Amino acid sequence: MPEDDLFQIITEHDGAEIVHAKSYLGIAYSDDLTIIQLTVSDTRGVDQKKRLYRRIVDLLADNPGLRREDVFINIVEAKRENWSFGNGEAQYA
């Protein structure tokens, strides 16, 4: 990934703004549920995604100390031609 390919939106919500199940697929959530959504090009395989999920959870469990169960990760994949980084151009197409 290019060094300057960094675009983030970080939002914080109080408990009333996040509606979630108390548990899902055998995972019990607390009120500290943290949802991470990544929008990326459709270029990564399943094993690479699994390593990414594990690394994110490891880092957030270490600092700031989130419960591993409370890290919910979702990847939204887009074809390379579905990106425009400005100037009305499809830079990856």
Side-chain angles (χ1 to χ4, degrees):
M1 161 172 121
E3 183 177 328
D4 58 348
D5 185 1
L6 179 64
F7 301 90
Q8 299 179 350
I9 299 171
I10 300 171
T11 59
E12 187 173 342
H13 301 273
D14 67 32
E17 295 177 310
I18 298 177
V19 178
H20 66 86
K22 292 293 180 191
S23 66
Y24 186 67
L25 300 175
I27 302 166
Y29 303 112
S30 77
D31 290 337
D32 292 328
L33 179 65
T34 299
I35 299 173
I36 299 170
Q37 185 172 68
L38 306 168
T39 304
V40 300
S41 294
D42 185 10
T43 59
R44 291 157 184 86
V46 173
D47 288 337
Q48 193 174 13
K49 292 173 191 174
K50 287 180 177 182
R51 287 191 307 272
L52 175 64
Y53 300 148
R54 180 68 58 190
R55 181 72 174 140
I56 290 170
V57 169
D58 288 346
L59 290 170
L60 291 175
D62 183 50
N63 184 12
L66 291 177
R67 292 175 62 245
R68 301 176 75 78
E69 299 90 341
D70 285 332
V71 182
F72 181 112
I73 304 167
N74 170 245
I75 294 178
V76 177
E77 295 176 310
K79 294 180 182 179
R80 293 181 61 80
E81 66 267 19
N82 291 348
W83 294 88
S84 174
F85 293 94
N87 295 324
E89 299 174 13
Q91 285 82 1
Y92 290 160

